[in-house]
Amino acid sequence: MKKIHLIVGARPNIIKASPVYNALESLNKYDITVVNTGQHYDKLMMDTFINELEFKAPDINLRVGSGSHGTQTAKIITEYEKVLLKDKPDAVIVFGDVNSTLACTIAAKKMMIDVIHIESGLRSYDKDMPEEINRMMVDSVADYCFTTCEDASLNLIKEGRSKESIFMMGNTMIDSLVKFESKFNKSNLLDKYGLSVQEYILFTMHRPSNVDNEEKLLKIIEQIIIISKEHRCFFPIHPRTMNRIKDLNLLKKIEDLPNIVLSGPLGYFDFMNIQKNARLVVTDSGGIQEESTYFGVQCLTVRENTERPITITEGTNTLIGNTIDNISSEIANIIESPKKKSAIKYWDGHSGYRISKIIENII
Ligand code: UD1
Ligand code: UDP
């Protein structure tokens, strides 16, 4: 049996990897080892996702934890290389654009092991984003690139990659959404917080460019306070953001306001229920731009650019830049505009299966 390693490390990796693992496993052709780098480690950033998405408990945990980019990436390379030396796989599958994706790609390619990149070819062309560096570096050495949309395939072709190594098979994050959608409705979070369907705004914020900058984070909090005067707001806070909020003593500004619900990171089912039923979403997340498009929920993205332009051209996403001061006026504009439901090619719940059938031919 050929051996495949499947790499996860951060919250979104589980959502993207689970459908691919299940599809490959059902072929009964591969010995699959799931390697968790440990980049994310809190229960609500990792284990809850493994359980809810019915993903295999990782076989190996590198337990690298948090650190600066250099430290975290270097630790993963060092630890994963030890695994590779013992267990030479025939291929390594990496997902998305996090530090774990880059580090495991480097370790594998230096040992001449094939790398398969899923969610390849996305480009923001903004090298100030750590994720853009990761995407570009992974795609420059990966052997096989699976993309979520045609524009991502075109980006790869423009960079000189051969067409034969690119496969547009759709979005595995949407596979998870489709598979578990019936479970989202069972979440009792709306009742718990007294929220009504379509009557609140969901905020998520975790990009370093928004939350690691004191002035910007302060403005984001001020904007949420202004918006909460007219709309109920729900803000599940990412650990990076919570650390910054606490460092700057900002929590007390928002925690007792009657119209703002604050929470820590939510499990997948709760979060998807909150997202699906929101009037609109204000975010800087990558995955949420895609999920909100699938749900037909309007999304305001607080960034200057996006590596997911299809969510604007064919979906519900609007880029509002990161001037921050304009968030409340942008909400006022968008809330009056008609809703849009779109169906992007291959964002249909079967991407993992299609990917597995290609992998069957190449590995
Ligand atoms: C990482 C990814 C980002 C992705 C996000 C998904 C990189 C470069 N960034 O960002 O692309 O959008 O995950 O959520 O890979 N922390 C905890 N508990 C945890 C994990 C993190 O408290 O389980 C805190 C630590 O203080 C840590 C900080 O969050 O230093 C940031 O974590 P890190 O994994 O470095 O980056 P993210 O911002 O999570
Ligand atoms: N998510 C979740 N709970 C939360 C926030 C996010 O379940 O509190 C899910 C959601 O499905 C989202 C995914 O995690 O699409 C990715 O999260 P994040 O925004 O952290 O990462 P990105 O997509 O920006 O890399």
Side-chain angles (χ1 to χ4, degrees):
M1 250 189 190
K2 292 221 168 156
K3 284 190 191 172
I4 292 182
H5 281 189
L6 203 138
I7 309 295
V8 294
R11 163 168 81 182
N13 292 157
I14 306 294
I15 307 170
K16 294 167 193 174
S18 176
V20 177
Y21 171 78
N22 287 322
L24 281 175
E25 186 60 23
S26 63
L27 294 176
N28 254 320
K29 280 194 171 170
Y30 299 107
D31 173 6
I32 307 171
T33 300
V34 174
V35 179
N36 176 9
T37 65
Q39 175 172 348
H40 285 172
Y41 42 85
D42 287 346
K43 192 166 181 289
L44 273 160
M45 295 296 285
M46 184 50 64
D47 292 359
T48 303
F49 287 80
I50 292 172
N51 294 336
E52 290 189 339
L53 286 137
E54 295 168 12
F55 190 52
K56 187 189 187 197
D59 302 284
I60 296 172
N61 192 332
L62 304 179
R63 298 188 195 286
V64 299
S66 301
S68 66
H69 288 284
T71 303
Q72 188 174 61
T73 308
K75 269 195 192 167
I76 300 171
I77 295 174
T78 308
E79 294 307 311
Y80 187 46
E81 186 181 54
K82 291 179 197 162
V83 174
L84 288 173
L85 284 166
K86 272 202 210 143
D87 188 38
K88 287 236 164 95
D90 297 282
V92 173
I93 307 182
V94 296
F95 297 83
D97 54 18
V98 300
N99 284 347
S100 302
T101 315
L102 173 63
C104 292
T105 298
I106 293 173
K109 283 317 300 171
K110 292 271 182 166
M111 291 180 66
M112 291 174 282
I113 296 168
D114 279 356
V115 169
I116 297 172
H117 185 203
I118 292 179
E119 198 192 82
S120 175
L122 297 180
R123 295 289 180 270
S124 65
Y125 298 104
D126 175 358
K127 288 190 194 152
D128 289 341
M129 283 185 82
E131 295 81 4
E132 183 70 1
I133 307 289
N134 293 344
R135 291 178 203 117
M136 292 178 74
M137 293 179 76
V138 170
D139 285 338
S140 69
V141 292
D143 298 276
Y144 303 103
C145 290
F146 287 85
T147 64
T148 53
C149 50
E150 296 296 357
D151 61 89
S153 302
L154 282 175
N155 292 337
L156 293 169
I157 289 167
K158 275 191 252 159
E159 289 170 15
R161 172 168 284 278
S162 74
K163 281 186 182 164
E164 292 68 40
S165 64
I166 305 170
F167 307 92
M168 203 295 269
M169 293 291 127
N171 192 328
T172 63
M173 198 170 219
I174 302 299
D175 283 18
S176 289
L177 188 164
V178 170
K179 178 171 175 188
F180 293 106
E181 192 163 8
S182 62
K183 301 221 171 166
F184 307 158
N185 303 330
K186 296 192 178 133
S187 160
N188 65 358
L189 223 61
L190 292 182
D191 286 347
K192 179 176 168 191
Y193 291 117
L195 296 166
S196 307
V197 172
Q198 294 286 313
E199 286 183 9
Y200 60 91
I201 297 175
L202 171 64
F203 288 84
T204 84
M205 220 50 74
H206 73 283
R207 293 278 153 223
S209 57
N210 283 333
V211 305
D212 287 359
N213 175 311
E214 181 173 340
E215 193 192 339
K216 282 198 177 152
L217 184 55
L218 186 59
K219 283 186 176 176
I220 287 170
I221 299 296
E222 280 167 0
Q223 285 291 305
I224 296 179
I225 294 171
I226 294 171
I227 293 156
S228 77
K229 297 199 169 117
E230 278 193 52
H231 306 278
R232 292 273 279 156
C233 298
F234 194 113
F235 185 21
I237 307 181
H238 186 284
R240 169 189 290 278
T241 310
M242 184 53 100
N243 289 340
R244 302 288 173 265
I245 287 178
K246 285 184 177 161
D247 290 347
L248 299 173
N249 255 325
L250 291 173
L251 196 54
K252 60 180 178 331
K253 277 179 91 102
I254 44 174
E255 61 187 349
D256 292 327
L257 292 175
N259 243 2
I260 304 178
V261 178
L262 298 182
S263 77
L266 297 176
Y268 183 65
F269 297 160
D270 280 339
F271 183 80
M272 297 301 270
N273 186 42
I274 289 285
Q275 183 180 180
K276 183 181 172 182
N277 289 307
R279 177 65 190 84
L280 68 94
V281 178
V282 179
T283 191
D284 58 10
S285 158
I288 295 167
Q289 295 173 59
E290 297 178 343
E291 292 163 344
S292 56
T293 274
Y294 183 91
F295 284 135
V297 172
Q298 277 149 325
C299 174
L300 295 182
T301 298
V302 186
R303 287 177 43 189
E304 295 296 328
N305 47 56
T306 178
E307 61 289 332
R308 293 164 162 90
I310 196 166
T311 60
I312 299 176
T313 52
E314 294 189 34
T316 57
N317 190 14
T318 307
L319 267 189
I320 62 168
N322 62 358
T323 315
I324 314 289
D325 293 330
N326 60 348
I327 299 178
S328 42
S329 57
E330 292 286 353
I331 286 179
N333 291 339
I334 206 92
I335 221 143
E336 299 308 328
S337 61
K339 297 186 95 187
K340 193 165 145 189
K341 181 97 182 165
S342 59
I344 295 178
K345 186 177 176 197
Y346 286 172
W347 292 24
D348 58 358
H350 304 294
S351 300
Y353 172 76
R354 284 188 288 266
I355 289 169
S356 74
K357 297 312 278 179
I358 303 282
I359 291 179
E360 201 178 16
N361 288 328
I362 57 183
I363 304 296

